[in-house]
Amino acid sequence: MARINDNYLKLPGAYLFSTVARKTNEFTQAHPDREVIKMSIGDVTKPLAPAVIEAMHKAVDEMGTAEGFHGYGPEQGYAFLRDKIVEIDYKARGIDVDADEIFVSDGAKSDCGNIGDIFSADNRVAVCDPVYPVYVDTNAMAGRAGEYVNERWSNLYYMPCTEDNGFMPELPKENVDIIYLCFPNNPTGVAATREQLKPWVEYAKNNGAVILYDSAYEAFITDPDVPHSIYEIEGAKEVAVEFRSFSKTAGFTGTRCAYTVVPHELKVDGVELNGLWNRRQCTKFNGVPYVIQKAAEAVYSDEGQRQTREAIDYYLENAKIIRKALSDAGLTVYGGENAPYIWAKTPDGMKSWDFFDKVLEETGVVTTPGSGFGPSGEGYIRLTAFSTKENTIKAMEKIKNIL
Ligand code: MLT
């Protein structure tokens, strides 16, 4: 008789952004004439850069010719893209990464979730609280999180990130084996400096732990003390996997392209994780389409770099507008300086979902309730800077009016 993976039954409710989408749809149905401005899921609004579109068109045309047709590509990604990643994302920052340590994929979300395949189910996992729910839910699905009791998973080690510690997690006081870190952070928008990251690499080295470092938002870093890669920290290649994405950097949320770096130096039980991940990808993944990888390659051309930079600056300007409007309205705000996310304290200690509902009902603006990211997110909401500038300004005016 077939049996299900009953870890799925332990998951509370729906995926956070599905719940937000459901509530938004209910609102739209109840109020078909009201304008809705989405500042919830981090989905970009600016079109793909002209250089990217040009490369994509060219690749589509190639696919229609006998000489230019591409069938299955390498599971790890085409050399033309991996070499550009090595050169521009790493070498240019003084970091030595080899092309065979790069694995091109369809998204950092998938990779952050799938990476669990190569780790034993009895690893103790540490996550920040609040946290991007994918790290938690995928470990729960794999049976690594234990039981869900009182809004917490019994086997996870939670690292609270609160106002008191400047939203920076403290090193675990118990032994943990796998540590998820995300900087610039989703959801708080706070970024760790080199000095703040060093102790994590030390901790991982001393305790045989692996850091799963999500740097999907590195393109939004403005502060020179904030590293773009964990490999800027000495010794990190021995302890960390890094996830990167073209989604927020170059507008690929709908186009899907990302990559993960698994250095050869990184070994667990004397086994290179690079080999295990390669085995996993070759078995379960057939690579990102040629056309999409060509589009991603164009991000690294001079034009592509300039055009994608313009889009990032546009979103950072939105972040500034949000920060200022909410502060002027009397809210305490964090993030938004090295990240596209603004983490705002709700007024008068309101619960996150209550404030979410109030803002949606009274203004039509969709935010994300902080408590959806973990117990320490209670009393906060998250806003994204990925809307259009006009809608950002409009949304802020509306929120200011109700506060
Ligand atoms: C978010 O809003 O947290 C992100 O867009 C989700 C994602 O990248 O999957």
Side-chain angles (χ1 to χ4, degrees):
M1 195 172 80
R3 292 172 58 196
I4 56 158
N5 173 355
D6 58 8
N7 291 311
Y8 278 67
L9 302 181
K10 301 178 186 171
L11 292 164
Y15 181 58
L16 172 63
F17 292 105
S18 313
T19 309
V20 170
R22 178 181 53 76
K23 284 196 165 242
T24 310
N25 287 341
E26 282 165 10
F27 175 82
T28 313
Q29 269 165 18
H31 310 282
D33 312 330
R34 298 268 306 272
E35 183 187 22
V36 169
I37 301 180
K38 294 187 182 164
M39 303 181 92
S40 182
I41 194 164
D43 196 4
V44 292
T45 50
K46 282 191 91 61
L48 289 167
V52 168
I53 289 296
E54 195 185 314
M56 211 189 284
H57 275 299
K58 213 166 137 225
V60 169
D61 289 341
E62 272 183 68
M63 289 291 278
T65 66
E67 319 74 60
F69 173 73
H70 287 75
Y72 290 129
E75 293 89 349
Q76 304 80 358
Y78 284 101
F80 61 75
L81 178 56
R82 295 164 98 197
D83 289 346
K84 283 279 168 15
I85 292 169
V86 165
E87 192 190 316
I88 294 173
D89 286 347
Y90 291 101
K91 280 229 163 70
R93 292 195 184 275
I95 303 165
D96 198 20
V97 162
D98 286 337
D100 68 355
E101 296 174 313
I102 311 269
F103 295 84
V104 175
S105 77
D106 67 338
K109 177 183 185 176
S110 331
D111 285 355
C112 287
N114 293 334
I115 195 84
D117 280 13
I118 64 169
F119 291 101
S120 144
D122 56 11
N123 280 288
R124 181 98 199 272
V125 175
V127 291
C128 290
D129 167 28
V131 70
Y132 178 42
V134 171
Y135 314 150
V136 170
D137 290 5
T138 55
N139 276 290
M141 290 168 177
R144 225 175 268 119
E147 303 300 322
Y148 190 69
V149 187
N150 293 335
E151 299 186 6
R152 283 166 185 276
W153 290 94
S154 56
N155 288 353
L156 292 186
Y157 183 88
Y158 289 89
M159 304 182 290
C161 298
T162 61
E163 245 181 339
D164 290 343
N165 59 21
F167 301 99
M168 277 298 146
E170 282 160 28
L171 290 174
K173 295 193 177 58
E174 294 166 25
N175 215 30
V176 300
D177 309 304
I178 296 173
I179 305 167
Y180 286 84
L181 292 178
C182 171
F183 291 115
N185 189 257
N186 178 11
T188 65
V190 169
T193 62
R194 280 179 197 84
E195 286 312 306
Q196 285 171 317
L197 263 191
K198 276 185 191 161
W200 291 92
V201 172
E202 274 312 298
Y203 175 94
K205 276 185 158 182
N206 295 336
N207 293 278
V210 172
I211 298 174
L212 300 178
Y213 194 77
D214 185 350
S215 62
Y217 302 98
E218 60 79 31
F220 295 84
I221 294 170
T222 54
D223 182 340
D225 291 335
V226 172
H228 287 250
S229 163
I230 191 162
Y231 305 127
E232 290 183 42
I233 312 298
E234 211 187 312
K237 285 188 78 184
E238 290 158 48
V239 294
V241 170
E242 179 160 285
F243 304 99
R244 291 273 187 106
S245 171
F246 293 92
S247 284
K248 322 292 156 105
T249 309
F252 276 55
T253 50
T255 315
R256 309 309 305 152
C257 197
Y259 65 87
T260 288
V261 186
V262 190
H264 287 296
E265 286 98 314
L266 174 52
K267 294 187 183 131
V268 174
D269 296 333
V271 177
E272 275 193 23
L273 291 191
N274 181 289
L276 296 189
W277 185 242
N278 189 43
R279 186 72 175 81
R280 191 262 171 216
Q281 291 298 82
C282 290
T283 306
K284 294 196 180 183
F285 183 61
N286 258 337
V288 173
Y290 173 75
V291 172
I292 302 301
Q293 292 194 56
K294 273 292 177 191
E297 182 195 21
V299 170
Y300 295 104
S301 67
D302 290 346
E303 280 296 277
Q305 290 280 284
R306 193 180 50 72
Q307 292 162 357
T308 48
R309 189 67 242 166
E310 272 170 22
I312 290 160
D313 289 342
Y314 174 93
Y315 295 132
L316 281 170
E317 179 64 26
N318 284 349
K320 232 187 230 167
I321 293 168
I322 299 169
R323 277 182 63 92
K324 179 161 183 344
L326 297 183
S327 314
D328 287 353
L331 297 190
T332 309
V333 296
Y334 298 95
E337 284 169 328
N338 291 293
Y341 296 123
I342 292 89
W343 190 238
K345 232 174 152 170
T346 61
D348 310 318
M350 262 178 107
K351 295 261 189 206
S352 301
W353 275 112
D354 292 344
F355 191 55
F356 167 93
D357 286 333
K358 177 181 165 70
V359 174
L360 179 59
E361 282 296 326
E362 296 179 23
T363 68
V365 178
V366 191
T367 61
T368 309
S371 57
F373 297 99
S376 298
E378 185 56 275
Y380 289 87
I381 55 158
R382 192 197 75 174
L383 291 106
T384 86
F386 289 122
S387 198
T388 61
K389 185 171 181 181
E390 301 80 65
N391 276 350
T392 302
I393 293 170
K394 206 192 281 179
M396 289 307 107
E397 281 308 313
K398 290 180 182 220
I399 294 181
K400 263 162 107 175
N401 286 341
I402 63 157
L403 285 173

